[in-house]
Amino acid sequence: MERAVPLAVPLGQTEVFQALQRLHMTIFSQTVSPCGKFLAAGNNYGQIAIFSLSAALSSEAKEESKNPVMTFQAHDGPVYSMVSTDRHLLSAGDGEVKAWLWAEMLKKGCKELWHRQPPYRTSLEVPEINALLLVPKENSLILAGGDCQLHTMDLETGTFTRVLRGHTDYIHCLALRERSPEVLSGGEDGAVRLWDLRTAKEVQTIEVYKHEECSRPHNGRWIGCLATDSDWMVCGGGPALTLWHLRSSTPTTVFPIRAPQKHVTFYQDLILSAGQGRCVNQWQLSGELKAQVPGSSPGLLSLSLNQQPAAPECKVLTAAGNSCRVDVFTNLGYRAFSLSF
């Protein structure tokens, strides 16, 4: 993708269009390559950019090292979610998931390997796929979004094997409890639902907004983010960001932040969250705010922790949202620099 040039220079139509695209860009999703040296980011125009983290983090990095090594058109609409397997980049848009080979992309090829569409109720239904979740033990992929259902796809055969129904409004987020094995889903209906993958049954429902200490009616009941660590879950959105003990369905910590949160994750003995506002928030499990680290975007939609053991030199946190920039944090205390879509 060409760079926008200074406004003092007369611009052709193509350059003006690209400058406007960058101005109104939203980056919805990120994922790290299996080698840990590259980052993929997907935007509202259906484009995926591949960045070289190793080049950008090098002591010899130049300004152009922060630009994509390649950008390609992946979907007609926004790229809402992405995950990486040991060989593939999987991306989801409106009604479909596509696969791309990392090995080919890193040679600057971007031929689609395959695409799949879940079995929707009608052929005219094209709901967005907001969340993708890998289940490594059964080599499957779970998709969820606008049709209020969770679809499981066998990655070996490409066939859809089951549908989990229970949400009454569209689904925003998924998380995996590997030991159980259970999947958690959160959606616009205000419920976090736990599903047993062995029986394909819903085993627990937590309606967060019904708990007075979590409820914020002025923000709505929607659950926009969740993460799990063994018997613990953290979730947020319209209701307050809250830590829950799953076995007892008890909220144990309500985090004192007013802005709705769009992404949350456990990291060592901390919880990291982001949403409305520029900051990545670092929380103690007790609810104490350890730090707020500002980034370059006015709102954040996704965080990505690169913890691939194959590339310890690329161990970073990246944050993206309502801009064309992906902020890179080499430690959690400050933003080191930004990649530019």
Side-chain angles (χ1 to χ4, degrees):
M1 181 178 286
E2 296 178 15
R3 316 304 295 167
V5 296
L7 293 178
V9 179
L11 297 174
Q13 287 186 346
T14 301
E15 286 82 3
V16 170
F17 177 72
Q18 290 174 343
L20 287 171
Q21 267 200 330
R22 287 169 53 77
L23 183 63
H24 297 286
M25 188 178 293
T26 297
I27 298 174
F28 284 109
S29 53
Q30 308 175 64
T31 189
V32 176
S33 66
C35 68
K37 295 182 179 181
F38 295 88
L39 176 75
N43 71 13
N44 55 321
Y45 303 120
Q47 300 165 331
I48 293 177
I50 308 297
F51 298 93
S52 173
L53 290 174
S54 56
L57 291 163
S58 167
S59 59
E60 300 175 358
K62 301 177 181 178
E63 196 59 32
E64 53 264 33
S65 303
K66 300 168 188 175
N67 299 333
V69 296
M70 70 171 298
T71 302
F72 62 95
Q73 191 71 36
H75 296 267
D76 293 334
V79 184
Y80 292 113
S81 184
M82 294 190 296
V83 293
S84 288
T85 71
D86 57 356
R87 296 180 60 226
H88 301 126
L89 168 65
L90 305 179
S91 62
D94 288 322
E96 64 181 0
V97 59
K98 294 186 177 183
W100 319 83
L101 272 173
W102 272 108
E104 293 301 316
M105 287 190 297
L106 299 182
K107 295 176 186 174
K108 299 195 176 180
C110 55
K111 186 177 180 181
E112 175 191 314
L113 187 64
W114 51 255
H115 75 274
R116 298 286 187 273
Q117 185 175 31
Y120 296 125
R121 287 176 287 250
T122 71
S123 59
L124 298 177
E125 190 176 19
V126 189
E128 73 277 9
I129 298 173
N130 293 323
L132 297 176
L133 180 68
L134 291 171
V135 185
K137 287 184 178 178
E138 58 178 42
N139 194 28
S140 67
L141 177 72
I142 297 179
L143 306 78
D147 71 339
C148 316
Q149 302 175 124
L150 286 74
H151 300 269
T152 301
M153 189 183 83
D154 186 314
L155 286 172
E156 185 71 29
T157 63
T159 57
F160 287 92
T161 57
R162 61 192 170 207
V163 179
L164 306 178
R165 298 182 177 92
H167 282 281
T168 58
D169 210 333
Y170 59 88
I171 300 166
H172 285 294
C173 46
L174 299 170
L176 178 66
R177 289 180 80 192
E178 293 189 56
R179 295 179 186 175
S180 299
E182 291 176 350
V183 167
L184 288 74
S185 58
E188 196 72 12
D189 58 6
V192 173
R193 302 180 189 274
L194 281 74
W195 310 86
D196 188 325
L197 293 180
R198 294 162 296 192
T199 62
K201 301 290 185 182
E202 183 178 341
V203 294
Q204 188 176 356
T205 303
I206 298 174
E207 293 178 298
V208 179
Y209 67 96
K210 290 185 176 179
H211 293 255
E212 185 177 353
E213 60 268 53
C214 313
S215 179
R216 299 190 300 190
H218 59 285
N219 284 333
R221 61 174 63 177
W222 55 279
I223 299 298
C225 60
L226 62 85
T228 183
D229 183 9
S230 188
D231 288 333
W232 298 91
M233 172 190 76
V234 60
C235 66
L241 187 70
T242 309
L243 181 67
W244 292 74
H245 184 247
L246 286 173
R247 288 190 180 181
S248 61
S249 299
T250 304
T252 60
T253 305
V254 178
F255 298 94
I257 186 167
R258 293 183 178 181
Q261 299 298 279
K262 303 292 183 67
H263 195 113
V264 67
T265 187
F266 287 92
Y267 177 65
Q268 296 179 356
D269 59 347
L270 297 174
I271 289 172
L272 309 180
S273 76
Q276 290 183 6
R278 295 182 177 274
C279 292
V280 176
N281 307 296
Q282 302 174 29
W283 303 97
Q284 305 279 9
L285 298 180
S286 61
E288 179 185 349
L289 181 62
K290 181 179 179 182
Q292 283 188 309
V293 185
S296 62
S297 297
L300 295 172
L301 299 173
S302 71
L303 302 175
S304 177
L305 278 164
N306 183 5
Q307 302 185 81
Q308 293 286 5
E313 74 281 5
C314 297
K315 187 177 180 181
V316 294
L317 169 71
T318 54
N322 300 120
S323 81
C324 62
R325 298 188 177 277
V326 180
D327 293 332
V328 179
F329 302 81
T330 49
N331 71 39
L332 294 182
Y334 66 95
R335 176 176 64 93
F337 57 87
S338 297
L339 306 169
S340 188
F341 209 118

